[in-house]
Amino acid sequence: MQQQHQHPKIRNNPLSPIEQLLVDRANIEAMCREQEKKLGEDFARLRDHAPGLILSGVSFLLFSSGTPGKKAGSIATGKDRPTGVKVPFTASDYLSIIKNLLPVAWSILQPILITWGINKAKSLIFGFISGKKKISH
């Protein structure tokens, strides 16, 4: 006797709106899981290499040579060539570095300040609603 291969039912009818929504939802959830996995891998890589990235960024800002508008691959002319004389940093150089680092510092501090503000507001509102006052000893 011959065995028949059983194939899954192939549906000729179009899906109902609810069935289509369920299929779309399953597809979107699968794509979200895949993207979450990729993001997790990226964040793990960043976390593993963060100290080196920060150190290289800071050292680039502190010790980079040349003018900011100068392209790395351009040919140096007579006035652009280094003379071999090292000029010490002046106060304006340090202010320039600090000015360049302020946006980075603000982007780091902003979430911390927002979290602190939200927690402080919650504690004040909870204290106001509960009516409990702190007793000082």
Side-chain angles (χ1 to χ4, degrees):
M1 207 166 158
Q2 234 182 359
Q3 286 184 339
Q4 291 181 345
H5 294 289
Q6 293 184 356
H7 294 287
K9 269 188 171 179
I10 298 176
R11 190 173 190 155
N12 293 332
N13 301 351
L15 296 175
S16 71
I18 291 179
E19 290 173 330
Q20 183 63 43
L21 286 175
L22 291 174
V23 168
D24 290 345
R25 180 181 178 182
N27 290 337
I28 291 171
E29 286 176 349
M31 290 182 343
C32 286
R33 281 191 297 274
E34 185 177 326
Q35 287 298 322
E36 286 174 357
K37 182 181 174 187
K38 287 179 183 177
L39 281 174
E41 291 170 357
D42 290 344
F43 279 119
R45 189 176 311 117
L46 281 174
R47 184 183 61 239
D48 293 342
H49 299 294
L53 290 171
I54 291 171
L55 183 62
S56 67
V58 169
S59 64
F60 175 77
L61 285 174
L62 293 176
F63 305 114
S64 64
S65 61
T67 58
K70 191 78 174 156
K71 292 182 181 176
S74 64
I75 300 172
T77 61
K79 64 181 181 179
D80 294 331
R81 289 189 185 138
T83 59
V85 178
K86 293 192 177 193
V87 179
F89 277 112
T90 62
S92 64
D93 293 333
Y94 287 114
L95 288 175
S96 173
I97 291 169
I98 291 171
K99 183 179 170 185
N100 288 336
L101 290 176
L102 279 177
V104 175
W106 176 245
S107 67
I108 292 170
L109 287 175
Q110 192 174 10
I112 296 169
L113 291 173
I114 290 172
T115 303
W116 176 81
I118 290 171
N119 288 335
K120 187 70 173 173
K122 280 200 282 191
S123 67
L124 288 173
I125 292 171
F126 180 72
F128 181 72
I129 290 174
S130 67
K132 293 182 181 178
K133 294 185 179 179
K134 292 184 179 178
I135 302 172
S136 59
H137 295 290

